Amino acid sequence: MSLFDYPFDGAMLLQKKRSLRRELLKKPNLTPKKVAILSGSTIGEIKNILELFLLGYGIAPEFYVGNYGLFYENLVFDDGSLAAFKPDILYIHTSRKNLKNMPTTADTAQSAGEKLEAEWARFEAAFNAAKRFGCPIIVNSFDAPTHRVMGNRDAVDACGGVYFINEMNARLTTYVGKNEGFYLNDLAYLATRFGLDNWFSESEWYLYKYAVSMQYIPELCHNIANIIKSLLGKNKKGLVLDLDNTLWGGVIGEVGPEGIELSTETPGGMAYHEFQAYLKQLENLGILLNVASKNEPAAAESGFARSDSPLKRDDFLCFKANWEPKSQSIAEIAKEINILPESLVFVDDNPAEREIVRQQLPDVTVASFAGPEKMIAAIDRAGYFETTTLSADDAKRNEMYRQNLARAAEQQSFGSYEDYLKSLEMQGEFGSFTPPHAERITQLINKTNQFNLTTRRYTGPEVEALIEDENAVTLYGRLADKFGDNGLVSAMIGHVHGTECDIELWIMSCRVFKRQMEHTMMDEFVRRCAAKGVTRIVGRYLPTAKNLLTKEIYGTMGFEKMSESETESVFALQVEQYVPQNTVIAVTAKE
């Protein structure tokens, strides 16, 4: 297991941070990002450990560290240094220790209310000032006080500290919910989870001004890193699940569906029932559920026919019940649904099976836990599926993948691939970026790694700015067919300089690759460039370990290779020489 696999050893991370950093910096294809941390308290070790988690996720951070305790001043009265840094991510590290207008028992209800308004106005001013940097902004909720002057009344009296902090958190969460680009790091939840007496150390506050106990800094940083990796499209996409003693108790091939433990009426079955219910909620978020079990298919499927089973057979995309090595089944699942093995998390109660998968498929994440009652925590707290955005397409993701499997099955009945494509009756919608599409486009940009020629990422504000940029050529593509709607699956961004257009970004979901969607996107992009007087289009390919499938995509579309190096290949197209290539997609153009 890696030191960064959950549950991790926080003390070991703190102890070995320097040697771990040296090793992690050797990882290939790290994504550079500028991360600004603004201080409400001491942040030295927070920066150090956050860097380790980000490196573990393949992100190489360059840090800007604000002045001690001056988060408000650095944001509202920036001396130019923060703006010059141009952060990709901004993290405002505050806690209850930064609340300056806390009421006392000497206050009246009116004066306590005035203090609340003044305090929220101060934080709101800081948050509003942060917007001008045009990047994702992560803010902490406030931890509860470690003492209550009025005891339980502290939570209901306007002069109580608990009441005050609860009101501040309510306003904070409302603000984050209404302001695009803001993300909550729920410090209050973490403090509750680990216990206030553990989370905050008076002695470490008095000595070092750390608002989080040293031993829990890794937990804080892990939580922040999960938000950042989610924003950058580095979440996991699916689970591969064992069955016996994982989704139910007992061996179904021996005891039958009636004999397995799953009922909420027995102590033994409750943990498995709750785990299945948790997985069902993940599926509703678009997480792909799959099975890899050493079992007879009929016996394996019979467990989901029980009326008290939260999951049913139809909840799973791929169902591998056989006697082959589970590593083989997992590899087949990744291939069938067309995702990278690194996008999958394997869950199995058997430590031996887990270790075999670790050895045979090192890119697959293997969840570790001890006992069925620990399974939910093993997945939930690891942050594999941290949700920073949730679109309608996310909710439909499982259905889209099922449709893809149906398409693949139908393909086998056609002798000609083009005849197969025509049989799909595909319809494409293509248009310039618009506000209703901005969130989905941003999400697609930041989560697409395989069909991504330049690997450039854009924030929400940057995507929205392109809508008004007269020199930008933007294009999104949606694709539907007789099996269903794939949703918005591709985007291109170019900038015009005179009569030349540089393609800065081209991404596409791999689930529609090789259906002439890539050709139709280029047909439309060239047409729109020509309408702007462009005579030459330049495209670049920046190689990574994940985007090799796009290495020669420009060459297949009539572009001439101008140069090639280890870090970049440059292609050019004379617009007048371009020949449209789509022959199977009915196009609806939205100007």
Side-chain angles (χ1 to χ4, degrees):
M1 285 181 61
S2 163
L3 281 174
F4 299 97
D5 288 342
Y6 202 88
F8 47 79
D9 186 335
M12 189 64 70
L13 293 178
L14 286 162
Q15 179 183 337
K16 294 188 172 184
K17 61 180 181 287
R18 291 183 179 85
S19 61
L20 287 170
R21 181 178 183 272
R22 287 194 296 269
E23 288 302 311
L24 289 167
L25 284 169
K26 297 176 184 177
K27 291 180 64 172
N29 302 311
L30 292 170
T31 302
K33 287 294 170 184
K34 293 184 175 183
V35 180
I37 306 178
L38 300 187
S39 162
S41 56
T42 303
I43 55 177
E45 287 290 27
I46 292 171
K47 177 187 80 68
N48 294 336
I49 303 304
L50 178 58
E51 181 178 26
L52 296 183
F53 279 111
L54 291 176
L55 287 169
Y57 285 138
I59 303 163
E62 175 189 346
F63 285 104
Y64 172 100
V65 177
N67 304 108
Y68 168 77
L70 298 181
F71 75 94
Y72 177 87
E73 290 80 2
N74 286 161
L75 288 168
V76 177
F77 307 113
D78 176 31
D79 61 5
S81 59
L82 183 55
F85 178 69
K86 295 181 179 179
D88 297 307
I89 303 286
L90 182 61
Y91 169 50
I92 306 173
H93 176 66
T94 54
S95 71
R96 65 180 172 85
K97 284 295 185 180
N98 298 112
L99 298 174
K100 294 183 175 180
N101 291 294
M102 292 282 287
T104 72
T105 52
D107 277 302
T108 63
Q110 180 178 342
S111 62
E114 290 169 353
K115 286 184 174 181
L116 176 64
E117 295 299 330
E119 190 64 5
W120 173 245
R122 188 167 71 93
F123 274 86
E124 186 176 35
F127 297 159
N128 287 339
K131 292 179 182 179
R132 72 181 185 276
F133 298 105
C135 66
I137 301 156
I138 301 172
V139 297
N140 288 346
S141 55
F142 301 101
D143 46 327
T146 53
H147 61 273
R148 302 176 301 173
V149 175
M150 292 181 280
N152 290 295
R153 185 177 173 81
D154 230 53
V156 296
D157 194 296
C159 297
V162 175
Y163 177 91
F164 188 91
I165 289 173
N166 286 343
E167 287 295 307
M168 285 292 292
N169 276 334
R171 296 185 183 208
L172 174 64
T173 54
T174 298
Y175 183 94
V176 170
K178 290 183 176 180
N179 287 268
E180 186 177 352
F182 278 78
Y183 303 91
L184 182 70
N185 177 52
D186 202 349
L187 186 144
Y189 170 82
L190 293 175
T192 301
R193 183 178 141 207
F194 294 108
L196 291 175
D197 290 342
N198 299 315
W199 182 258
F200 179 80
S201 166
E202 276 83 0
S203 60
E204 289 177 9
W205 173 255
Y206 298 145
L207 288 169
Y208 314 116
K209 289 297 185 288
Y210 271 107
V212 177
S213 177
M214 194 73 68
Q215 64 177 318
Y216 291 109
I217 284 177
E219 296 284 353
L220 172 72
C221 294
H222 179 244
N223 215 51
I224 301 163
N226 283 336
I227 296 171
I228 295 174
K229 62 91 174 168
S230 176
L231 290 170
L232 298 179
K234 294 181 178 291
N235 270 358
K236 303 302 180 183
K237 294 181 179 179
L239 288 156
V240 180
L241 301 145
D242 175 45
L243 296 179
D244 294 335
N245 296 311
T246 300
L247 291 189
W248 51 63
V251 178
I252 198 167
E254 296 178 358
V255 301
E258 298 81 9
I260 59 174
E261 293 184 295
L262 189 57
S263 172
T264 57
E265 297 177 0
T266 65
M270 290 175 67
Y272 297 107
H273 191 279
E274 288 194 11
F275 184 48
Q276 284 200 24
Y278 173 77
L279 295 173
K280 181 66 178 179
Q281 290 196 66
L282 289 180
E283 186 203 13
N284 293 337
L285 294 175
I287 306 307
L288 312 176
L289 303 185
N290 307 275
V291 164
S293 171
K294 289 184 177 178
N295 244 312
E296 292 296 332
E301 293 187 13
S302 68
F304 299 104
R306 285 181 48 146
S307 61
D308 56 358
S309 176
L311 292 174
K312 303 301 179 184
R313 171 60 183 87
D314 290 345
D315 289 314
F316 299 94
L317 274 177
C318 293
F319 200 97
K320 303 290 183 182
N322 52 47
W323 300 103
E324 302 300 327
K326 291 184 181 179
S327 56
Q328 178 178 320
S329 292
I330 295 170
E332 290 173 356
I333 288 169
K335 184 177 181 180
E336 287 177 21
I337 60 179
N338 194 24
I339 63 174
L340 295 173
E342 68 185 46
S343 297
L344 294 172
V345 178
F346 177 55
V347 183
D348 193 311
D349 70 292
N350 189 329
E353 294 284 8
R354 299 201 297 253
E355 186 56 31
I356 291 170
V357 170
R358 284 193 187 98
Q359 296 293 330
Q360 297 296 317
L361 296 172
D363 288 341
V364 172
T365 295
V366 179
S368 296
F369 53 92
E373 70 279 4
K374 302 292 186 182
M375 291 188 294
I376 293 177
I379 296 174
D380 196 71
R381 295 174 183 175
Y384 301 131
F385 309 110
E386 178 78 32
T387 303
T388 46
T389 59
L390 188 60
S391 68
D393 283 349
D394 289 324
K396 297 188 297 183
R397 186 181 296 120
N398 275 279
E399 184 57 32
M400 291 176 180
Y401 276 93
R402 287 190 184 90
Q403 293 164 3
N404 256 9
L405 292 173
R407 293 180 187 103
E410 179 161 313
Q411 182 182 341
Q412 305 305 314
S413 64
F414 285 85
S416 162
Y417 186 64
E418 183 157 344
D419 286 344
Y420 159 68
L421 291 180
K422 289 178 179 177
S423 77
L424 293 178
E425 302 171 10
M426 290 183 285
Q427 300 175 20
E429 176 187 298
F430 303 86
S432 301
F433 292 2
T434 60
H437 298 107
E439 181 179 356
R440 170 57 182 162
I441 290 169
T442 303
Q443 183 188 54
L444 189 66
I445 288 172
N446 288 297
K447 71 193 303 184
T448 304
N449 297 304
Q450 290 179 271
F451 196 112
N452 187 335
L453 280 81
T454 59
T455 68
R456 180 168 175 177
R457 308 298 188 185
Y458 286 74
T459 65
E462 287 175 328
V463 169
E464 291 176 358
L466 289 166
I467 297 171
E468 305 298 328
D469 187 345
E470 294 183 356
N471 293 318
V473 180
T474 62
L475 180 67
Y476 73 83
R478 298 181 62 93
L479 186 65
D481 60 28
K482 68 181 183 180
F483 288 102
D485 188 354
N486 289 281
L488 196 154
V489 291
S490 189
M492 297 180 74
I493 298 171
H495 263 96
V496 177
H497 310 278
T499 59
E500 184 170 291
C501 180
D502 289 321
I503 300 176
E504 297 180 354
L505 174 132
W506 187 10
I507 54 165
M508 191 172 73
S509 170
C510 285
R511 66 176 183 266
V512 298
F513 186 44
K514 292 190 175 179
R515 287 196 224 154
Q516 290 197 19
M517 184 64 177
E518 60 272 28
H519 299 99
T520 314
M521 284 291 292
M522 184 57 72
D523 289 354
E524 278 296 301
F525 190 82
V526 171
R527 184 179 71 81
R528 289 164 190 264
C529 283
K532 283 183 171 285
V534 171
T535 60
R536 185 172 185 262
I537 300 174
V538 175
R540 290 174 171 79
Y541 166 72
L542 279 63
T544 72
K546 299 177 182 178
N547 72 354
L548 295 176
L549 65 86
T550 62
K551 182 178 182 180
E552 299 297 335
I553 192 73
Y554 282 123
T556 66
M557 296 185 175
F559 283 68
E560 179 184 355
K561 185 179 291 185
M562 308 303 294
S563 64
E564 182 175 19
S565 68
E566 292 184 357
T567 58
E568 182 183 65
S569 296
V570 180
F571 300 80
L573 172 77
Q574 299 300 321
V575 170
E576 63 180 9
Q577 297 176 3
Y578 182 75
V579 178
Q581 300 177 62
N582 166 44
T583 60
V584 296
I585 297 176
V587 173
T588 299
K590 302 279 189 177
E591 301 299 335

